[in-house]
Amino acid sequence: METLEDTDPRGQLYRSWQLKELLRMLPHQPVGQAEAELKRWIFRASHSRIPEVVELCRKIRRRRDDILRTIGPGYSNARLEAFNNKINHHPHGLRLPTRRQPHRHDQTPMQRPTHPPTNTHPLTHENNRRLK
């Protein structure tokens, strides 16, 4: 069996995991501490020499203020992600409930009401003038 050292001799996998875990814990900290941790994370990620992490670091650096703004009030998109997950993993996509009345065997199905036409006479040249 191969060891982690054999498959990842430069230690990129372990360092990537460490950086991911540090970033994951960021929203659970107070704002002041989160700001310091984010600054530390950006430094470590930008010096990691892992191309994917460095690219992510650039994006996080650009959105740093937005990230810190969401940590303060404790906003989360967990409910939205859970709903999205249900849609994406349902075999037929999202099925919204239909607006039907329950059908009873002793009644005929409900019919939509029909409305009389708004104009009862055909539009001719003379009728068209009266409408204006």
Side-chain angles (χ1 to χ4, degrees):
M1 183 188 278
E2 294 182 59
T3 63
L4 185 59
E5 194 173 317
D6 295 335
T7 59
D8 189 26
R10 293 174 45 194
Q12 288 185 339
L13 181 62
Y14 179 68
R15 284 184 292 141
S16 298
W17 177 81
Q18 279 182 320
L19 288 165
K20 188 257 316 177
E21 287 299 309
L22 287 171
L23 196 58
R24 189 176 69 87
M25 296 307 294
L26 198 65
H28 304 289
Q29 299 172 357
V31 180
Q33 185 179 352
E35 188 171 0
E37 288 294 322
L38 185 60
K39 185 177 179 180
R40 182 173 161 246
W41 187 91
I42 289 172
F43 178 81
R44 288 183 66 191
S46 64
H47 290 81
S48 69
R49 293 181 293 178
I50 304 169
E52 295 83 3
V53 174
V54 173
E55 182 184 345
L56 177 62
C57 177
R58 287 187 192 121
K59 292 175 184 177
I60 287 177
R61 188 179 286 146
R62 268 196 313 262
R63 302 303 303 251
R64 182 179 173 275
D65 294 335
D66 296 332
I67 291 168
L68 292 173
R69 232 177 284 138
T70 59
I71 290 173
Y75 294 141
S76 172
N77 68 341
R79 287 185 182 178
L80 179 65
E81 290 295 334
F83 184 69
N84 193 27
N85 192 26
K86 286 182 183 179
I87 293 171
N88 291 335
H89 291 95
H90 192 277
H92 305 291
L94 177 65
R95 290 189 174 189
L96 296 173
T98 57
R99 296 187 63 182
R100 284 192 193 171
Q101 296 292 328
H103 181 69
R104 292 174 38 187
H105 296 288
D106 59 336
Q107 293 180 346
T108 58
M110 290 181 57
Q111 300 292 323
R112 287 184 177 227
T114 57
H115 299 287
T118 55
N119 190 2
T120 56
H121 53 282
L123 285 178
T124 62
H125 180 69
E126 295 159 3
N127 291 341
N128 192 19
R129 284 189 190 148
R130 281 189 284 182
L131 293 175
K132 289 183 181 178

